Amino acid sequence: MGKIYVVGLGPGGVEQMTKRAYDALQECDVITGYHVYINLIKEEFKHKTLLANGMRKEVDRCKQTLEEALKGQTVAIISSGDAGVYGMAGIMCQVAADHPEIDIEVVPGITAACSGAAVLGAPLIADFCLISLSDLLTPWEKIERRLDCASKGDFCIALYNPSSHKRHDYLQKACDIMLKNQPGTIPAGIVRNIGREGQEYELTTLAELRDKKVDMFSTVIIGNSQSEIINGRIVTPRGYKLA
């Protein structure tokens, strides 16, 4: 009987995978995934059958993965970051719901909030939340409520999918909501292409963030009212007494 691994690759190439993720891919006969993520690993796993498709083909990808597993093969479906955080783990379980005989194992990876926070310093040391600005699967009205509640609660906030061609002003809208509840001086940071070629980051403030240019390969992190810049890093204190 076949098996499915749902594997989080972490932020970038093979060197940023966990050993468990690497071993799972080595064990597989077939690896499926979005073509951008397949390209990240294709040299290391070129001896495997690699099946790639495009954006918004997640259901098709999971069906293809299930079909290969039903042939008796060991298959991995890959996500960047962590497969259980805006990744393929949930939908893969849903697509395979009528096949309890297929073993599905979720293999975690480093999600963008954690890898991006490491680039910026230590902005997520205290309570934080993740919010995606993509309204493809979540109504914008619900996203607005989440932004409002999180900023009222003084959470540090990591924003995924902050902008796209069709959603070019969503980061502005998000900042305007948060600025109703938080001062504009709160530190914020943008990390682009985390763990990949072209990685770069920028420190800014919540007020300035609303006019910054970002894309789908950017992760945005906003501190809380206690966050500060220390030697070029965003740091959110936990409250330790230093003396």
Side-chain angles (χ1 to χ4, degrees):
M1 186 59 62
K3 176 168 182 170
I4 296 173
Y5 288 102
V6 191
V7 179
L9 298 180
V14 173
E15 73 281 359
Q16 303 202 58
M17 285 184 205
T18 65
K19 185 176 185 303
R20 183 179 168 196
Y22 185 88
D23 289 347
L25 295 183
Q26 286 284 31
E27 184 183 331
C28 287
D29 307 301
V30 180
I31 301 173
T32 67
Y34 176 42
H35 65 85
V36 172
Y37 306 145
I38 290 288
N39 286 340
L40 292 174
I41 61 158
K42 65 181 181 181
E43 288 304 312
E44 184 74 15
F45 297 99
K46 57 188 174 185
H47 55 295
K48 307 291 183 178
T49 299
L50 304 176
L51 303 177
N53 67 6
M55 189 175 286
R56 300 189 182 183
K57 298 292 185 180
E58 291 85 356
V59 174
D60 293 341
R61 201 176 305 148
C62 289
K63 288 179 177 178
Q64 184 179 46
T65 301
L66 179 60
E67 288 172 5
E68 295 297 325
L70 289 171
K71 296 175 186 177
Q73 304 215 72
T74 300
V75 190
I77 182 169
I78 60 174
S79 295
S80 67
D82 185 291
V85 180
Y86 304 116
M88 299 301 295
I91 189 172
M92 189 68 250
C93 290
Q94 290 176 301
V95 168
D98 294 332
H99 294 276
E101 74 278 12
I102 297 293
D103 181 22
I104 298 177
E105 182 176 336
V106 179
V107 180
I110 304 170
T111 190
C114 296
S115 53
V119 173
L120 294 173
L124 303 182
I125 291 292
D127 293 342
F128 70 92
C129 64
L130 313 181
I131 300 175
S132 170
L133 297 191
S134 173
D135 60 356
L136 183 63
L137 300 174
T138 303
W140 176 248
E141 293 75 18
K142 183 175 286 189
I143 296 171
E144 286 181 318
R145 290 198 300 272
R146 290 171 177 172
L147 290 164
D148 184 50
C149 290
S151 54
K152 280 179 178 174
D154 198 26
F155 281 88
C156 300
I157 301 172
L159 298 179
Y160 284 37
N161 306 312
S163 182
S164 69
H165 181 67
K166 293 183 178 179
R167 298 182 293 103
H168 61 90
D169 61 344
Y170 276 32
L171 180 59
Q172 262 190 4
K173 291 180 179 179
C175 289
D176 288 342
I177 292 167
M178 291 184 284
L179 283 165
K180 294 176 182 177
N181 305 313
Q182 293 282 46
T185 54
I186 282 180
I190 304 166
V191 189
R192 300 176 177 88
N193 299 308
I194 302 170
R196 305 174 192 171
E197 184 178 351
Q199 175 181 293
E200 59 180 9
Y201 72 95
E202 178 181 2
L203 300 183
T204 184
T205 65
L206 177 57
E208 295 169 345
L209 180 64
R210 70 180 305 280
D211 296 317
K212 296 293 184 180
K213 299 297 183 183
V214 294
D215 58 25
M216 290 291 285
F217 296 103
S218 304
T219 300
V220 174
I221 295 179
I222 300 122
N224 67 17
S225 61
Q226 305 302 309
S227 301
E228 55 187 326
I229 303 293
I230 300 177
N231 295 329
R233 297 180 176 90
I234 303 177
V235 178
T236 302
R238 284 193 67 192
Y240 293 111
K241 294 181 179 179
L242 302 182

